[in-house]
Amino acid sequence: MTVLLYIIGIILFLIGISISIALHELGHLTPAKKFGVKVTHYMVGFGPTLFSFRRGETEYGIKAFPLGGFIAMPGMYPPEEATTKRVDRAGAVAAVDGDTAGSGAVDGGVTGTESHLGEGVAETAGHLGEGMTGEGTTGENAAPLRRDRKRRKGRLFENTMADAREFSNQEIEPGEEHRTFYALSVPKRLVVMFAGPFVNLVLGILIMAISLLGIGVTTPMTTVQTVVECAVPASEAQQRPADEQNTCRDDDQRTPAWEAGMKPGDEITAIAGVETTDWDRLSAVIKDHAGERVEVDFTRDGKAQSVTVPIIATERPKVDDSGKALMNSDGTPQTETQGFLGIGPVQERQPLPLGEFAGAVWDQVSGVFHAIVTLPVKLVDIGEVAVGSKDRDAEGLVGMVGVGRIAGEIVSTDKIDVIDKAQMGLGMLGSLNIFLFAFNMIPLLPLDGGHIAVGLYEGARRRINRWRGRGLIGPFDTAKLLPLTYVCIGLMLCMTALLVYVDLVKPITLDAIFNSGG
């Protein structure tokens, strides 16, 4: 049964990520079709096609590996002739190479002169290079060899760009040039490319709303759940044997709550004259009145009661805002002196106050962006884990395989109830969507952020040309960025392979996450 539940957890995760990707691509598809772009394919996943159907000019389908997706729009790499056109203020088209006459001749002629001058400079530099090699046999043979290598590399690069342009525009029929991606205005292109990540952001926020506002968050209440018998300083408690960690010795100091006879179920309404509407307020008052006698008002079985107790000053573990214990450099817990009453609160699930939701969203989004900024450092850590004996950080990077394994553990474990399982699953899916938004906004091709950056550059370039009176220019030749694109793809594949390996060999377990406070 546990194995079956584990498999169900992985399947649910794959369904969740597939839906997220499908909605991301739908975010691209909808405005593209609205603007008249010809969209030939809408696919969820990569690899062999499992199922597809055609509606109109678009083929919709699902592929074998549900860890990505794409829509195909002709003109992602504009034809070379489109990038070398310019329209002057009178509306006439001029070629950048200066071959056009007529009203665009002045603009085209200037550009053509610049082009021929450049060729002349290059040719002169070539002759100078030949002369500088000297008269020896080695020098005479070396320069032509270097030039030949450069030509071969240049031809290879040009062929690659030509192939990319041809593949990108192969489904453009005559007369459909206006329906290509590059034919869109810059603002419309930005809308098409930003819409996909924006859908993930909205989806992530909606999932967070369901989790935090709908299901709620576990909140400590002012009702007493436990009464602690004795107050043992933290430094002393950690030195005791494990079997004595939860027991009191005869000479241990009894807590004020124990001495006053407080019981589980008592609801504290005020302390030291301060009304306690929530646990944070109650806890703060107790900490601030160390060494003082205060009056505690509470209700028991519907009856109001009051008792005066001495708040003792004791050494307690120091924690951060999330409740995680802070540690010293030697591994021992940090401690601080504070007031101690000796009670533990009842934990109830309550909707997060609406006024705090925006802050929770900001913390999540900013945390994801911070993780992406520090991605190189985290990858170095993962590399050390992969090749050495370094332990895996439970709060470090996790790949898709690792997240799938955790999803399987969440569904199959019997240590948490169904509501907590649902909330943890929603939390993972919401975080994943916000990560997809943030990662896709990286301004590098082939990511959406790279296309957005190209669009912004092209818009700025057009404005400058208009300001200089040089007219409209053609779209930026994105094929020139193919070497950088290939480098980025290679790095992403290496990162994926590294995470898959570590997730399989040294996986992060659900228990490790719980123990880390994550």
Side-chain angles (χ1 to χ4, degrees):
M1 186 64 178
T2 301
V3 175
L4 178 61
L5 290 175
Y6 187 91
I7 295 173
I8 290 174
I10 295 177
I11 293 174
L12 289 174
F13 164 73
L14 292 176
I15 292 174
I17 185 63
S18 296
I19 292 175
S20 300
I21 293 170
L23 292 175
H24 173 102
E25 299 304 332
L26 187 63
H28 291 308
L29 178 76
T30 303
K33 283 186 170 289
K34 181 70 174 178
F35 297 148
V37 178
K38 182 178 182 180
V39 181
T40 58
H41 294 83
Y42 169 92
M43 293 289 171
V44 177
F46 291 107
T49 301
L50 302 178
F51 166 79
S52 70
F53 65 93
R54 180 172 293 276
R55 179 171 296 177
E57 61 190 10
T58 306
E59 181 183 1
Y60 300 84
I62 297 176
K63 291 182 173 288
F65 305 106
L67 298 178
F70 65 93
I71 67 170
M73 298 179 289
M76 296 298 290
Y77 294 105
E80 187 173 10
E81 59 270 18
T83 65
T84 58
K85 298 294 183 181
R86 177 176 288 120
V87 180
D88 66 10
R89 291 181 175 179
V93 177
V96 173
D97 59 10
D99 292 337
T100 304
S103 59
V106 175
D107 200 6
V110 172
T111 308
T113 302
E114 292 172 352
S115 177
H116 292 306
L117 284 174
E119 293 173 4
V121 171
E123 185 178 358
T124 303
H127 290 307
L128 287 174
E130 291 177 12
M132 291 175 65
T133 58
E135 298 180 357
T137 303
T138 303
E140 292 174 355
N141 294 332
L145 180 60
R146 285 195 296 268
R147 288 198 305 274
D148 186 58
R149 288 176 177 173
K150 289 180 180 179
R151 290 193 189 102
R152 286 202 300 270
K153 291 180 180 178
R155 284 197 297 270
L156 176 62
F157 182 37
E158 290 174 0
N159 291 337
T160 302
M161 290 193 299
D163 291 341
R165 293 190 187 100
E166 181 181 358
F167 181 81
S168 176
N169 299 284
Q170 63 182 348
E171 297 190 75
I172 301 176
E173 301 295 336
E176 289 187 332
E177 290 79 7
H178 66 286
R179 300 192 60 203
T180 58
F181 179 74
Y182 70 81
L184 289 176
S185 66
V186 170
K188 289 182 178 180
R189 265 186 275 167
L190 294 178
V191 169
V192 171
M193 298 316 300
F194 180 70
F198 182 70
V199 167
N200 289 124
L201 175 62
V202 173
L203 187 58
I205 293 175
L206 287 177
I207 293 173
M208 288 185 65
I210 294 172
S211 176
L212 301 180
L213 302 179
I215 299 177
V217 294
T218 303
T219 306
M221 311 301 291
T222 57
T223 300
V224 177
Q225 173 72 36
T226 57
V227 178
V228 181
E229 181 179 355
C230 55
V232 182
S235 57
E236 180 181 339
Q238 64 182 356
Q239 296 177 0
R240 292 187 178 183
D243 59 347
E244 295 185 20
Q245 292 290 328
N246 298 317
T247 60
C248 293
R249 295 177 177 176
D250 294 338
D251 57 345
D252 287 338
Q253 182 181 12
R254 291 326 187 242
T255 66
W258 182 274
E259 293 285 359
M262 299 189 69
K263 298 179 179 180
D266 292 347
E267 183 179 355
I268 300 177
T269 56
I271 187 168
V274 179
E275 184 179 358
T276 54
T277 55
D278 55 62
W279 175 259
D280 290 339
R281 185 75 174 273
L282 186 154
S283 180
V285 174
I286 293 174
K287 291 178 180 179
D288 292 342
H289 287 75
E292 302 179 17
R293 294 184 65 86
V294 299
E295 186 174 359
V296 178
D297 299 324
F298 61 94
T299 58
R300 178 182 296 171
D301 299 328
K303 297 180 180 179
Q305 298 189 35
S306 179
V307 63
T308 301
V309 298
I311 302 295
I312 62 175
T314 187
E315 188 181 20
R316 306 297 298 169
K318 192 174 182 179
V319 297
D320 58 18
D321 293 337
S322 64
K324 184 178 180 180
L326 298 176
M327 309 299 289
N328 293 312
S329 57
D330 59 358
T332 59
Q334 297 183 23
T335 60
E336 61 181 352
T337 301
Q338 56 185 233
F340 185 66
L341 179 59
I343 58 173
V346 168
Q347 302 281 342
E348 290 186 3
R349 193 180 299 277
Q350 290 189 337
L352 184 73
L354 190 60
E356 298 180 14
F357 181 68
V361 171
W362 171 253
D363 290 341
Q364 179 74 7
V365 174
S366 60
V368 170
F369 271 103
H370 179 265
I372 290 177
V373 170
T374 58
L375 188 60
V377 177
K378 294 181 181 294
L379 285 174
V380 171
D381 292 338
I382 290 294
E384 293 177 353
V385 172
V387 301
S389 59
K390 185 176 180 179
D391 293 332
R392 187 85 180 267
D393 182 5
E395 298 181 3
L397 286 178
V398 185
M400 289 297 180
V401 172
V403 176
R405 295 184 64 155
I406 294 173
E409 287 190 56
I410 290 174
V411 174
S412 61
T413 185
D414 57 358
K415 296 180 181 179
I416 53 180
D417 58 31
V418 175
I419 296 296
D420 287 330
K421 289 182 179 182
Q423 192 165 43
M424 290 183 69
L426 288 172
M428 290 173 56
L429 189 59
S431 299
L432 180 61
N433 273 275
I434 292 176
F435 174 80
L436 288 174
F437 162 74
F439 188 75
N440 272 287
M441 293 308 295
I442 297 176
L444 293 172
L445 292 173
L447 300 173
D448 296 331
H451 291 286
I452 292 173
V454 169
L456 293 173
Y457 167 76
E458 186 173 314
R461 189 177 67 160
R462 288 183 174 182
R463 284 184 176 272
I464 293 173
N465 274 270
R466 285 182 180 179
W467 176 71
R468 296 174 61 185
R470 301 183 65 184
L472 292 174
I473 57 176
F476 175 76
D477 189 1
T478 49
K480 293 181 178 179
L481 299 178
L482 278 174
L484 179 60
T485 302
Y486 292 151
V487 170
C488 292
I489 293 174
L491 291 175
M492 286 190 288
L493 289 175
C494 291
M495 179 181 71
T496 300
L498 177 62
L499 288 173
V500 168
Y501 173 77
V502 176
D503 284 340
L504 290 174
V505 177
K506 296 182 179 180
I508 294 177
T509 63
L510 193 60
D511 288 338
I513 295 176
F514 284 150
N515 294 333
S516 70

